[in-house]
Amino acid sequence: MNNKAARPILLAGAESRGVPPTAMGQQLRQVDWSDTALGPEAGWPHSLRIALGICLNSRFPMFIWWGPSLINLYNDAYIPVLGRRHPAAFGRPARDTWADVWDVLGPQAQQVIERGSPTWNQSVLLVMDRNGFPEDTYFTWSYSPIFNDDGSIGGLFCACQEETARIAAERERDRLVREAQDAVVTLKTWFDQAPGFVALLRGPEFVFDMVNDAYLQLVGHRQIVGRPAFEALPDIRNQGYEELLQRVLTTGEPFIGRALRLNVQETPEGEVRECFVDLMYQPVRDADGAVIGIFAQGHDVTEQVHAVNALRQADQRKDEFLATLAHELRNPLAPIRQAVAVAASPKADEARKSWAMAVIDRQASHMAVLLEDLLDVSRISRGRLELRVEAVVLEDVVNAALESVQPLIQSRRHRLSVVLPEAPVRLRGDPVRLAQVLSNLLSNAAKYTDPDGQITLEAQAAHGVLTVRVRDTGIGLSPASQHEIFGMFSQVTSALHRSEGGLGIGLALSKGLVELHGGRLAVHSEGLGRGSVFTLSLPLAASESEAVKRSQPAGGRESTRHTVLVADDNADALESLAVLLELDGHQVLKARNGREALELAGRVRPQLAILDIGMPDLSGYEVARQIRQTGWGEAMPLVALTGWGQPADARRAQEAGFSQHLTKPVPPAVLGEIIQRWCPS
């Protein structure tokens, strides 16, 4: 089809009669129909001209499909139906225009053209792409045959109406009707099953018109509907709620309250239960705006309030712990600094210098114990603490614990009784950790018992279980303290009142260690001032085959001179470690960073290298890796000495090539054992 704007206007004269000055009438005149399947206008049958006049003059959507190709001719009202298919659809075969819905339209058109049978379709769904996207549309239409002058069928005439908007409106109406019909049921279901409590109170007496299940659960499932609120719930009087309701009823202003305390007595003889509620009172008004009732809605937040209080208490205990930690660390720091000043004084004789060194050693050991306790609690809480389980005898564990706490017990003049079974009691466990637990229990008994008190440790073995009880005549525990004492940072008495207060983690650590051994740790006290009993239960060894020999002190070994490389970027740490080794007669090479350590190791080839990890230039890990890559360093003993002491740190040191991983500080005796292990004579 060619549009030729320069040609003379067609359908002029007699042919133009009945063609309106509409958009499609103008389009009809401007087309050169001689180039189309319809042929020149002069040859159009009279029936086509009449049908075309009716179509173009109608304001109702109409179209004509004419000839074997069903050439499409339509009026202005039909343009919106076409969408973006207009104007290309005018004068083209219908099948090309309506390919997306031809499976519906084609058979009906064929029925009309071949048999002359008209069709009728009402509100039929057609999924069509007329505006750039698929859309559901609904149409009502009829196809009627148009006969030629000789009686044959030349085409079809269609009058149609789009029903999409009406169908959508009817569906929306039906939906709204259904919603309206279901509203009461839905509201009642929501009201009854709402997670929060809901009530509707009517009039100045606040009569319960409606309450839901949650409200009944809050007040004890009492019969309250239809009764004035404070007659139905007398136990809620004098708690401020009556005044709040009256204020909302009078002022018309809503009320919102958070975590309000509510004491409820569900039955006349029942106990008063303390609850906490988030609550809203909303005024209900009539058509004139007068307040005629109150809508009450809220949530029982008792558990949340208790949880928040618990968090506050935990935070408070944490702050107290940090204050105690500072106190406990300052205590040994003070004598250490003073002892250093004494040792450095030119006026101090050898006896005073020796005394100062003992003070420094003792207080540094105390700080190391505090640090290890903190690390142990952290490891237990993360499941990272590993026990060194072996066969042990109870008496050995008890003796080790008594050795560490005996000075404290003697300084407070306590009487200590130890009662053990006559036959040896054998266990499977970590002897150091078990001794640590008993030491904690005994030291706590000593700390929290006034001077000249009585402490008893007694053990019984029966039915595969070892039971150890540590009794004291100390300050005792309240019922609340007995529930909290094994928590982190928990202390019955502040360290300000007892200089041996500690960090408040000893019992938490002990409980964790006992549970790692498959046992239990519990406490009982008759009350404040009446002492305490800590009961430790542990499984016994399965058989006599797990008997152990008493450990004997290792025999001494004569010192041998060795060449040792020491590397640390902390000058004091480097120098002090070197001095200790030199005092034992060893030749010491000192490196202040990783690169210097690597250079010294390659040049001197020491018998042992002790390397810090966090050094500048090259870390201890990198130094170890590079030493291991050399021929001379493949078998050199390498010891990592670092402040990082987690199991993951030890694994990383091993992967880097270290022979052993040690955590700072290392006692001199352990340092000697390292030399003996890696540098045999």
Side-chain angles (χ1 to χ4, degrees):
M1 178 181 69
N2 297 321
N3 295 336
K4 298 180 180 179
R7 286 175 56 85
I9 294 178
L10 302 177
L11 294 179
E15 289 88 355
S16 67
R17 285 177 296 181
V19 178
T22 61
M24 297 316 300
Q26 295 294 329
Q27 182 76 9
L28 182 70
R29 288 191 176 98
Q30 293 176 4
V31 174
D32 183 359
W33 295 103
S34 62
D35 292 341
T36 71
L38 290 180
E41 303 93 308
W44 290 1
H46 185 65
S47 58
L48 173 58
R49 294 175 182 276
I50 293 175
L52 192 57
I54 295 172
C55 174
L56 294 176
N57 282 282
S58 176
R59 295 185 179 181
F60 196 85
M62 295 180 178
F63 64 82
I64 296 168
W65 290 349
W66 189 263
S69 300
L70 299 179
I71 299 300
N72 193 10
L73 305 170
Y74 51 87
N75 62 5
D76 288 13
Y78 190 71
I79 293 175
V81 176
L82 289 162
R84 66 174 184 172
R85 304 173 202 256
H86 172 77
F90 191 73
R92 294 186 61 82
R95 185 186 187 108
D96 295 348
T97 302
W98 295 112
D100 50 346
V101 290
W102 195 248
D103 59 330
V104 177
L105 306 183
Q108 294 192 18
Q110 184 178 6
Q111 174 183 331
V112 174
I113 296 299
E114 292 181 356
R115 298 197 297 271
S117 302
T119 65
W120 170 255
N121 302 270
Q122 185 170 9
S123 303
V124 175
L125 170 64
L126 296 175
V127 181
M128 63 175 64
D129 181 359
R130 57 180 177 176
N131 293 303
F133 55 88
E135 59 179 312
D136 291 351
T137 63
Y138 293 86
F139 285 88
T140 294
W141 75 90
S142 66
Y143 288 162
S144 301
I146 303 175
F147 294 93
N148 281 315
D149 297 340
D150 60 1
S152 63
I153 298 174
L156 65 80
F157 185 91
C158 178
C160 65
Q161 180 175 353
E162 183 167 359
E163 306 277 8
T164 305
R166 182 184 64 79
I167 295 293
E170 288 180 354
R171 289 182 175 178
E172 179 66 11
R173 179 203 63 197
D174 294 343
R175 184 184 66 81
L176 293 175
V177 169
R178 286 194 303 271
E179 288 183 357
Q181 292 172 342
D182 296 342
V184 174
V185 175
T186 302
L187 180 61
K188 184 67 168 61
T189 301
W190 173 86
F191 198 86
D192 288 338
Q193 298 180 359
F197 58 82
V198 184
L200 185 61
L201 308 174
R202 168 173 45 84
E205 293 186 344
F206 310 116
V207 175
F208 283 112
D209 267 356
M210 296 176 66
V211 294
N212 71 340
D213 294 341
Y215 195 98
L216 292 175
Q217 183 176 354
L218 179 70
V219 300
H221 294 281
R222 287 178 269 185
Q223 296 296 326
I224 61 177
V225 176
R227 300 177 62 190
F230 296 98
E231 175 186 311
L233 305 172
D235 45 312
I236 299 180
R237 285 187 182 275
N238 303 319
Q239 296 188 47
Y241 293 97
E242 192 169 9
E243 292 78 6
L244 289 174
L245 286 168
Q246 193 64 50
R247 187 174 75 187
V248 174
L249 188 70
T250 303
T251 65
E253 297 178 358
F255 168 79
I256 298 176
R258 302 292 184 190
L260 303 178
R261 179 179 280 103
L262 174 66
N263 294 321
V264 178
Q265 189 177 12
E266 299 178 355
T267 62
E269 299 81 15
E271 293 184 0
V272 175
R273 178 168 58 90
E274 182 185 61
C275 304
F276 292 89
V277 295
D278 285 349
L279 179 65
M280 180 190 71
Y281 288 152
Q282 184 73 32
V284 178
R285 302 177 185 272
D286 61 13
D288 298 326
V291 179
I292 59 173
I294 293 176
F295 177 76
Q297 187 270 333
H299 296 271
D300 185 344
V301 294
T302 305
E303 291 185 3
Q304 293 92 314
V305 169
H306 289 166
V308 169
N309 290 338
L311 287 174
R312 288 199 185 104
Q313 292 173 5
D315 191 58
Q316 181 180 356
R317 286 199 298 270
K318 178 203 68 177
D319 292 341
E320 293 172 352
F321 162 74
L322 292 175
T324 303
L325 176 60
H327 171 271
E328 291 296 315
L329 291 177
R330 289 191 187 103
N331 273 349
L333 279 176
I336 286 174
R337 298 190 67 175
Q338 293 159 7
V340 169
V342 170
S345 172
K347 299 178 181 180
D349 56 20
E350 288 303 318
R352 289 185 179 275
K353 290 181 179 180
S354 178
W355 169 85
M357 292 301 103
V359 169
I360 293 172
D361 180 66
R362 187 164 55 252
Q363 297 301 325
S365 297
H366 177 62
M367 293 179 70
V369 169
L370 294 178
L371 178 61
E372 284 303 317
D373 280 354
L374 283 172
L375 292 175
D376 283 345
V377 170
S378 174
R379 292 171 187 139
I380 289 175
S381 65
R382 293 182 292 113
R384 296 291 183 87
L385 190 141
E386 297 179 1
L387 299 177
R388 293 183 173 88
V389 177
E390 59 184 69
V392 296
V393 172
L394 173 63
E395 187 176 349
D396 290 342
V397 174
V398 172
N399 288 339
L402 291 176
E403 182 179 351
S404 65
V405 300
Q406 197 69 42
L408 175 61
I409 292 175
Q410 291 176 351
S411 69
R412 299 182 69 85
R413 304 186 304 277
H414 294 316
R415 298 179 302 278
L416 174 63
S417 299
V418 178
V419 182
L420 301 180
E422 293 184 3
V425 177
R426 299 177 176 89
L427 305 165
R428 289 288 296 175
D430 186 326
V432 175
R433 296 303 188 179
L434 292 176
Q436 184 180 3
V437 171
L438 290 182
S439 176
N440 278 338
L441 297 180
L442 289 168
S443 62
N444 271 354
K447 290 176 185 178
Y448 295 105
T449 299
D450 291 330
D452 301 310
Q454 174 68 46
I455 299 174
T456 302
L457 185 153
E458 57 182 2
Q460 295 176 335
H463 308 295
V465 176
L466 168 67
T467 303
V468 180
R469 293 182 177 86
V470 177
R471 302 177 185 272
D472 63 60
T473 56
I475 62 174
L477 296 167
S478 67
S481 295
Q482 293 179 50
H483 290 293
E484 300 172 357
I485 197 167
F486 292 111
M488 277 291 293
F489 316 139
S490 176
Q491 287 186 319
V492 175
T493 305
S494 170
L496 294 174
H497 296 91
R498 292 179 180 268
S499 60
E500 306 91 350
L503 297 179
I505 62 176
L507 288 175
L509 173 58
S510 297
K511 187 173 187 292
L513 290 173
V514 170
E515 290 174 351
L516 285 178
H517 281 83
R520 292 180 62 253
L521 182 60
V523 65
H524 175 71
S525 176
E526 295 295 333
L528 295 177
R530 305 182 67 178
S532 303
V533 180
F534 285 84
T535 302
L536 166 64
S537 301
L538 289 170
L540 291 170
S543 67
E544 288 295 320
S545 63
E546 294 182 349
V548 296
K549 297 179 180 180
R550 300 296 177 87
S551 58
Q552 300 295 331
R557 181 177 294 183
E558 185 178 352
S559 176
T560 304
R561 180 180 175 86
H562 299 287
T563 303
V564 181
L565 169 63
V566 177
D568 200 314
D569 62 318
N570 184 304
D572 289 340
L574 175 64
E575 193 63 33
S576 60
L577 183 57
V579 169
L580 286 173
L581 291 169
E582 287 170 348
L583 289 174
D584 279 346
H586 304 295
Q587 180 185 0
V588 180
L589 308 172
K590 293 180 285 187
R592 293 165 295 180
N593 55 58
R595 200 168 298 282
E596 187 175 338
L598 187 60
E599 188 274 331
L600 276 173
R603 179 161 49 88
V604 182
R605 314 285 175 86
Q607 294 168 278
L608 172 67
I610 302 176
L611 307 176
D612 182 35
I613 295 300
M615 294 187 293
D617 298 330
L618 292 177
S619 70
Y621 296 131
E622 187 59 33
V623 173
R625 291 190 189 97
Q626 294 195 32
I627 288 177
R628 289 292 183 235
Q629 291 171 1
T630 67
W632 53 263
E634 289 181 358
M636 180 184 294
L638 302 178
V639 176
L641 182 59
T642 174
W644 301 102
Q646 299 297 323
D649 301 314
R651 286 194 298 271
R652 188 176 178 189
Q654 183 181 13
E655 291 167 358
F658 279 101
S659 311
Q660 186 174 356
H661 176 273
L662 294 175
T663 305
K664 296 178 179 179
V666 176
V670 175
L671 194 59
E673 292 174 1
I674 294 170
I675 300 295
Q676 292 178 3
R677 176 182 180 184
W678 296 111
C679 300
S681 301

